[in-house]
């Protein structure tokens, strides 16, 4: 079973901490278990917001984890504790995949893990992160950045996006989508999506595209155009584009392409259909077109993606999760 360790000290943001515990530590009905063995590691009793937390282990246990999560850091004007920085650095050097949520990026940057890499954090603190750590390429306009063994996310809802992204890498789209449904959040928002979205998590029936989006998802095998979507939504193409930007943070065609790629991932993971058949089922037309878009979006060709997930399924056929260390997933991460 893969192990996930939360690195905590005084001053952690309780929302991001609780979010990570829910994704990696809870066992909701309908989600294949066991998925992860979660532990909270800290120097002793710590304060997270208004809550007092008793860690399971000391920070010296971080290097033994497959994945280390660093929740948000409340007061970025104060330097993170040296013991936390050293423990996170040691975990990465030992081969752990390290991910920060929100301002947890300041801890990763202080540990030197972001030097020479792209990273993000909450938009309100991206300038401070860039000024304090000039060797880091800070991107203020994305939800999360995946560098393989080091990942960073923007704030709040984007932290959930990154956690589900990790689950998807470890266990595939089906498990991640099932978990997302239990949590009542969107199953996937691409890391490159803008942080500034008017309605980042649209409630069903509470936005102008509430009926259009599921209608389109059910017709991904068809060559849908912007005009088709606008006609179905009974609005002009220009008005449709404005609503798409407000609700999804992207354009109608880019949103459609993302849905087609996600559907292709599910079919590659769960069926023996040929790439040609999957290309037709996802509206890509030809295997060549699917391979081009899939490789550009996911980072590997469809055949390699299938082999990786099928191999992982066979390895974990006893019902246990397969450890998701950095080496095991480097080939599936898109370099942003």
């Amino acid at each position: 079973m893969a192990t996930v360790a939360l690195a905590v000290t005084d001053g952690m943001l309780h929302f991001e901490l609780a979010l990570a515990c829910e994704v990696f530590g809870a066992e909701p009905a309908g989600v294949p278990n066991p998925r992860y063995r979660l532990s909270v590691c800290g120097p002793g009793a710590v304060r997270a917001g208004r809550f007092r937390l008793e860690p399971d282990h000391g920070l010296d246990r971080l290097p033994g984890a497959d994945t280390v999560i660093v929740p948000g850091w409340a007061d970025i004007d104060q330097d993170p504790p040296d013991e936390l920085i050293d423990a996170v650095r040691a975990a990465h050097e030992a081969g752990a995949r390290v991910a920060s949520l929100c301002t947890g990026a300041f801890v990763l940057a202080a540990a030197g893990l972001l030097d020479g890499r792209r990273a993000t954090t909450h938009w309100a603190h991206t300038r401070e992160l860039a000024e304090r750590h000039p060797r880091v390429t800070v991107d203020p306009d994305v939800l999360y950045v995946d560098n393989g063994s080091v990942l960073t996310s923007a704030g709040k809802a984007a932290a959930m996006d990154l956690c589900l992204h990790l689950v998807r890498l470890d266990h595939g789209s089906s498990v991640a989508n099932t978990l997302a449904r239990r949590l009542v959040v969107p199953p996937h928002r691409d890391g490159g999506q803008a942080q500034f979205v008017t309605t980042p998590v649209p409630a069903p029936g509470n936005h102008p595209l509430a009926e259009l989006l599921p209608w389109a998802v059910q017709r991904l095998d068809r060559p849908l155009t912007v005009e088709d979507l606008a006609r179905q939504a009974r609005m002009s193409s220009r008005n449709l584009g404005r609503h798409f930007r407000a609700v999804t943070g992207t354009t109608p065609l880019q949103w459609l392409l993302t849905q087609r790629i996600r559907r292709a991932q599910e079919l590659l993971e769960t069926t023996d259909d040929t790439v040609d058949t999957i290309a037709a089922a996802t509206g890509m037309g030809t295997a060549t077109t699917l391979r081009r878009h899939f490789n550009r979006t996911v980072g590997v060709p469809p055949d390699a993606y299938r082999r990786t997930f099928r191999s992982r399924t066979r390895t974990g056929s006893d019902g246990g999760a397969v450890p998701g260390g950095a080496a095991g997933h480097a080939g599936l991460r898109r370099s942003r």
Side-chain angles (χ1 to χ4, degrees):
M1 184 189 302
T3 56
V4 174
L6 299 185
V8 300
T9 60
D10 282 335
M12 290 293 173
L13 297 172
H14 62 274
F15 179 88
E16 286 78 2
L17 177 63
L19 181 154
C21 288
E22 186 67 25
V23 172
F24 298 106
E27 297 184 357
V31 178
N33 286 302
R35 293 177 291 116
Y36 298 98
R37 183 167 62 250
L38 177 70
S39 62
V40 179
C41 301
V46 300
R47 300 291 302 185
R50 299 177 62 183
F51 302 97
R52 185 177 184 272
L53 181 68
E54 289 282 353
D56 304 310
H57 306 287
L59 290 171
D60 60 331
R61 294 288 291 270
L62 293 185
D66 296 306
T67 298
V68 172
I69 306 291
V70 182
W73 184 252
D75 189 358
I76 65 168
D77 293 329
Q78 292 187 359
D79 292 331
D82 290 339
E83 58 183 336
L84 174 62
I85 295 171
D86 293 341
V88 169
R89 184 188 298 116
H92 184 256
E93 291 174 350
R97 176 177 61 183
V98 180
S100 65
L101 308 181
C102 192
T103 50
F106 283 84
V107 178
L108 271 60
L113 304 190
L114 301 182
D115 288 352
R117 290 187 167 107
R118 290 182 65 235
T120 194
T121 188
H122 191 288
W123 61 266
H125 305 297
T126 51
R127 177 176 295 180
E128 178 67 21
L129 181 63
E131 292 177 352
R132 193 179 303 179
H133 301 280
R135 297 184 63 184
V136 181
T137 302
V138 180
D139 191 337
D141 299 321
V142 296
L143 297 179
Y144 58 85
V145 176
D146 183 342
N147 289 298
S149 64
V150 179
L151 305 91
T152 55
S153 83
K156 307 303 180 184
M160 174 66 79
D161 292 317
L162 177 56
C163 288
L164 288 175
H165 174 67
L166 293 173
V167 174
R168 182 173 291 103
L169 289 173
D170 292 342
H171 300 288
S173 298
S174 179
V175 171
N177 291 347
T178 300
L179 178 59
R181 284 193 294 271
R182 297 295 302 181
L183 296 173
V184 197
V185 297
H188 180 82
R189 291 200 297 166
D190 186 77
Q193 182 171 314
Q195 288 194 36
F196 292 98
V197 183
T198 304
T199 313
V201 185
N206 196 33
H207 58 87
L209 306 181
E211 295 182 2
L212 178 65
L213 299 185
W215 178 88
V217 168
Q218 293 172 6
R219 293 163 176 78
L220 293 177
D221 59 327
R222 306 179 189 181
L224 297 174
T225 64
V226 173
E227 289 72 23
D228 293 329
L229 297 175
R231 189 180 306 110
Q232 179 64 26
R234 297 183 178 85
M235 61 180 68
S236 69
S237 297
R238 178 176 296 181
N239 198 25
L240 178 76
R242 286 197 293 268
H243 284 303
F244 254 90
R245 179 63 67 179
V247 172
T248 72
T250 188
T251 66
L253 288 181
Q254 185 58 50
W255 180 86
L256 268 177
L257 177 60
T258 298
Q259 306 314 307
R260 297 188 196 280
I261 294 297
R262 301 310 160 201
R263 179 58 178 156
Q265 287 179 291
E266 293 180 3
L267 294 175
L268 288 166
E269 294 173 24
T270 60
T271 75
D272 293 318
D273 293 347
T274 65
V275 175
D276 289 283
T277 300
I278 293 175
T282 57
M284 294 288 191
T286 67
T288 300
T289 301
L290 173 59
R291 287 191 175 96
R292 182 175 70 252
H293 288 296
F294 196 95
N295 198 7
R296 185 175 62 189
T297 302
V298 181
V300 294
D303 296 322
Y305 182 89
R306 168 175 274 166
R307 285 195 301 271
T308 300
F309 276 96
R310 288 299 174 87
S311 173
R312 189 178 309 150
T313 300
R314 286 194 295 271
T315 304
S317 59
D318 61 351
V322 181
H329 297 296
L332 287 179
R333 292 191 170 87
R334 181 184 178 193
S335 177
R336 299 186 184 282

